[in-house]
């Protein structure tokens, strides 16, 4: 990472530009003001809508229970220049100039918060009835399909796939979920855990096809490689997301193999006066001994405080970013929460019966709790998260006893 200024500077005549008006960008702008930035703040959003929160898109907005999820932020009173419909197209870092769809924007400090883009299913672009779900417009296009109680095929049984399947079943649609792996959430959880979640689909009336690969998508149907033809009034693709960093090509900014912006532990990039935060940035975690790329709401909410602190106070006094990752998912009548980060070699400890309504999984490394997955057990999650933050060792026998509070397993 490049050397950036280590001493706080007066901010009144300086211009902070934030690219991306999602959670990470909005929270960065707010945090700058809260931490004493008196200079100009410009917040650029590629979409025409007022900045909004994304989790409701796969839930309340999709079901027509909410018209939107705009942030309750008074940008004008905070002195934040919000520019909508303004997309970043190129970075000229040597000149401290950001090129956008509406013209060049000079900056003294730049924060990249462009999030992630959904991965498209090969061969599906332009096919009528195929949907991605990232933006408010995406949700509004899909909402009337669900309201019509049509045949819906979801490609991908990850977190988004499960949430959309839940909403589609609640709306009365016939739902089929196609997953290439042998289980749902294959990229996030081991087979012995995710396997128990497969039954949730059938319990809700959804059909889950695992080990199934899409050969082609055509209007009104999805064709699998075994010859199966699935009727589909709508196809929703949820096969992952990639950092939205294509506009940074040839900018000189260092990107990882996964296309995330490489930051240091203060969320500084390889370029002077440029930071990155949220879904587009990966950061080194001393806690877990590896670089993390976290595509979840809490990371976009927490990271901006670190960015703002280092911009306003200088990196000699600014905070280091090493959170315990956290996320939640509401699916098939269950509230699923996860805190921490686990590896395939970590010891797995069950708390409760995974065939029941409420259970927890703990991951332990060298005797220390490093991750918790809680299904319908929010107290386990809250207590486990604190133990992880403190780097606490736990007694495996006590951790496995679901009748004992998880915090009592600390040793």
């Amino acid at each position: 990472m490049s050397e950036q200024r280590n001493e706080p500077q007066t901010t009144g005549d300086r211009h902070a530009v934030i690219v991306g008006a999602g959670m990470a960008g909005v929270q960065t702008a707010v945090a700058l003001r809260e931490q004493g930035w008196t200079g100009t703040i410009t917040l650029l959003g590629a979409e025409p809508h007022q900045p909004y929160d994304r989790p409701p898109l796969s839930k309340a907005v999709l079901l027509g229970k909410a018209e939107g999820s705009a942030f309750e932020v008074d940008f004008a009173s905070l002195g934040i220049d919000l520019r909508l419909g303004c997309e970043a197209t190129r970075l000229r870092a040597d000149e401290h100039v950001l090129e956008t769809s509406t013209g060049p924007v000079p900056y003294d400090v730049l924060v990249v918060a462009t999030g992630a883009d959904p991965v498209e299913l090969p061969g599906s672009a332009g096919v009528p009835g195929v949907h991605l779900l990232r933006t408010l417009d995406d949700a509004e296009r899909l909402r009337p399909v669900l309201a019509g109680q049509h045949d819906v095929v979801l490609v991908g049984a990850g977190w988004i796939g499960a949430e959309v399947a839940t909403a589609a079943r609640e709306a009365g649609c016939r739902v089929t979920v196609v997953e290439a792996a042998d289980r749902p959430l294959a990229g996030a959880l081991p087979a012995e855990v995710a396997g128990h979640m497969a039954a949730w689909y059938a319990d809700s009336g959804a059909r889950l096809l695992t080990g199934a690969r899409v050969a082609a998508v055509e209007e009104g149907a999805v064709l699998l490689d075994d010859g199966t033809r699935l009727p589909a009034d709508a196809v929703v693709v949820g096969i992952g997301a990639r950092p939205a960093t294509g506009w940074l090509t040839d900018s000189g900014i260092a990107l990882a193999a996964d296309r995330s912006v490489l930051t240091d532990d203060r969320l500084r990039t390889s370029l002077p006066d440029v930071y990155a935060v949220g879904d587009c940035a990966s950061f080194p975690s001393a806690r877990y001994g590896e670089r993390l790329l976290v595509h979840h709401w809490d990371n976009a909410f927490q990271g901006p405080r670190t960015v703002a602190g280092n911009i306003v106070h200088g990196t000699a006094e600014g905070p280091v970013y090493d959170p315990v990752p956290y996320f939640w998912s509401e699916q098939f009548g269950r509230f699923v929460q996860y805190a921490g980060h686990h590896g395939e070699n970590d010891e797995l400890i069950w708390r409760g019966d995974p065939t029941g309504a409420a259970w927890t999984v703990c991951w332990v490394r060298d005797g220390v709790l490093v991750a918790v997955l809680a299904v319908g057990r929010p107290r386990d999650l809250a207590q486990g998260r604190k133990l992880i933050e403190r780097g606490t060792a736990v007694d495996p026998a006590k951790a496995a006893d679901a009748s004992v509070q998880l915090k009592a397993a600390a040793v």
Side-chain angles (χ1 to χ4, degrees):
M1 297 299 146
S2 65
E3 290 296 322
Q4 299 189 31
R5 66 183 189 280
N6 288 320
E7 299 299 329
Q9 299 187 9
T10 56
T11 67
D13 59 348
R14 293 172 61 77
H15 186 192
V17 175
I18 303 164
V19 189
M23 172 60 76
V26 168
Q27 288 299 317
T28 298
V30 171
L32 280 170
R33 285 291 185 239
E34 288 178 344
Q35 298 197 37
W37 180 269
T38 57
T40 303
I41 299 176
T42 299
L43 177 62
L44 308 180
E47 295 181 55
H49 308 290
Q50 284 291 309
Y52 59 88
D53 205 5
R54 295 189 189 278
L57 296 184
S58 60
K59 306 174 185 73
V61 174
L62 196 57
L63 287 170
K65 297 179 179 179
E67 289 303 312
S69 52
F71 294 117
E72 295 182 358
V73 176
D74 188 338
F75 296 100
S77 69
L78 290 173
I80 297 170
D81 176 19
L82 175 62
R83 302 184 191 180
L84 301 175
C86 181
E87 183 175 4
T89 57
R90 186 181 171 218
L91 176 59
R92 303 203 313 263
D94 55 339
E95 303 170 59
H96 273 53
V97 171
L98 176 72
E99 291 187 6
T100 78
S101 57
T102 61
V105 180
Y107 67 87
D108 292 299
V109 179
L110 181 71
V111 181
V112 178
T114 43
D117 291 327
V119 176
E120 292 189 359
L121 183 67
S124 68
V127 177
V130 175
H131 299 260
L132 298 169
L133 185 58
R134 179 179 182 269
T135 69
L136 181 59
D137 289 339
D138 292 337
E140 290 181 344
R141 280 190 290 267
L142 186 56
R143 183 165 57 188
V145 178
L146 301 194
Q149 300 185 338
H150 293 294
D151 289 304
V152 176
V153 173
L154 292 111
V155 182
W159 300 112
I160 288 295
E163 291 181 359
V164 176
T166 299
R169 284 300 300 140
E170 185 175 335
C173 297
R174 293 172 294 278
V175 176
T176 301
V177 182
V178 177
E179 171 57 51
D182 62 354
R183 63 187 186 276
L185 296 167
L189 297 173
E192 59 191 301
V193 177
H196 292 286
M197 297 174 166
W200 298 356
Y201 288 78
D203 291 345
S204 75
R207 181 187 182 195
L208 173 63
L209 302 178
T210 57
R213 295 186 176 275
V214 175
V217 177
E218 59 186 35
E219 185 173 1
V222 173
L223 306 178
L224 303 183
D225 61 2
D226 66 358
T228 302
R229 185 179 189 275
L230 302 173
D233 296 296
V235 179
V236 183
V237 178
I239 56 175
R242 294 194 181 109
T245 56
W247 64 281
L248 290 169
T249 300
D250 299 326
S251 67
I253 200 166
L255 301 179
D258 57 17
R259 303 299 293 170
S260 64
V261 179
L262 287 165
T263 73
D264 65 7
D265 60 3
R266 287 174 167 80
L267 300 181
R268 298 176 297 179
T269 75
S270 60
L271 297 178
D273 301 314
V274 180
Y275 295 73
V277 65
D279 291 5
C280 67
S282 60
F283 57 91
S285 170
R287 185 190 307 276
Y288 292 105
E290 61 183 286
R291 179 169 288 274
L292 301 182
L293 173 62
V294 181
H295 282 177
H296 293 296
W297 184 94
D298 192 65
N299 179 54
F301 180 75
Q302 300 289 350
R305 300 174 190 173
T306 297
V307 171
N310 283 292
I311 290 174
V312 174
H313 303 295
T315 54
E317 300 178 8
V320 167
Y321 193 59
D322 195 5
V324 173
Y326 168 76
F327 73 88
W328 76 96
S329 176
E330 298 175 79
Q331 51 184 269
F332 309 116
R334 294 166 172 83
F335 187 44
V336 183
Q337 296 172 282
Y338 178 93
H341 176 71
H342 70 271
E344 60 181 14
N345 294 322
D346 295 329
E347 179 187 359
L348 190 152
I349 299 173
W350 287 98
R351 283 174 59 81
D353 180 1
T355 64
W359 46 273
T360 297
V361 175
C362 300
W363 283 270
V364 174
R365 183 182 305 169
D366 298 327
V368 174
L369 187 67
V370 294
V372 173
L373 172 74
V375 177
R377 293 179 66 98
R379 179 178 293 180
D380 276 1
L381 189 288
Q383 294 180 4
R385 190 176 186 181
K386 290 180 180 178
L387 294 176
I388 296 167
E389 288 172 346
R390 297 168 185 161
T392 306
V394 294
D395 180 323
K398 290 182 179 179
D401 188 345
S403 69
V404 175
Q405 292 195 46
L406 185 54
K407 64 182 180 182
V411 297

